[in-house]
Amino acid sequence: EVLLICLTNWRQDMTASLKDKKDAAAKKKYEQEVAALRKKELETGEKASLQIAEKMKAKLEADNKKFVVDIWMQTTRENLAKRKEEAAKQKQSDELAAIKRKELEKAEKASVSMANKMYKKVWDEVLLICLTNWRQDTMARLKDKKDAAAKKKYEQE
C-alpha cells in the first residue's frame, strides 16, 4: 500500500509536472503566436502606413504638379492676353499714324494744289497785264504809224 501511495503521488506529481510543462509550452506557444501576430500587425501596420504615406506623397506631388501647371497656364494666358492687347494697341497706333500720314499728305497736296492755282492765277494776271499793255502799246504804235502814214500821204497830196 505504501507503494501504491508512492506511485499515486508520483503519478500525480508527474501528471501535474506534465500538465505544467504542457501549460508552459502552450503559454509559450500562445505568447509566441501573439508576438508573431503583433509583429505581423506591426509590419502590416507599417506597410499600411507606408502605403498611406506613399499615397499621400503621390497626392501631394500630383497637387503640386497641378498647382504649378495651373499657375503656368494662368501666367501663359495672361502673357498671351497682354501680347494680344499690345499687338492690338500697336496695330491701332499704326493705323492711326497711317491715317494721320494720309491726312497730312492730302492736306499737303491740297495746299500745293492751292499754291499752284494761286501761282497760276497771279501768273495769268501778270501775263494778261503784260499782254494787254503790249497789245495797247502795239495798237498805239500801229495807230501812230497809220496816222503818220496818213499825215504823210495827206502832206504829199
Side-chain angles (χ1 to χ4, degrees), residues 35-56:
L37 283 172
R38 282 188 184 152
K39 184 178 179 184
K40 187 175 181 181
E41 187 178 288
L42 281 175
E43 288 175 359
T44 305
E46 285 177 8
K47 285 180 184 177
S49 294
L50 185 60
Q51 286 176 347
I52 290 171
E54 287 176 2
K55 285 180 183 177
M56 288 177 67

Side-chain angles (χ1 to χ4, degrees), residues 106-119:
K106 187 177 177 182
E108 188 177 325
K109 283 181 183 178
S111 64
V112 166
S113 173
M114 185 161 300
N116 286 337
K117 284 179 184 177
M118 299 231 357
Y119 176 78

Side-chain angles (χ1 to χ4, degrees), residues 18-31:
L18 255 173
K19 186 178 176 195
D20 286 343
K21 282 183 184 178
K22 280 183 183 179
D23 285 347
K27 186 177 179 184
K28 187 176 181 183
K29 185 177 177 184
Y30 172 76
E31 287 175 357

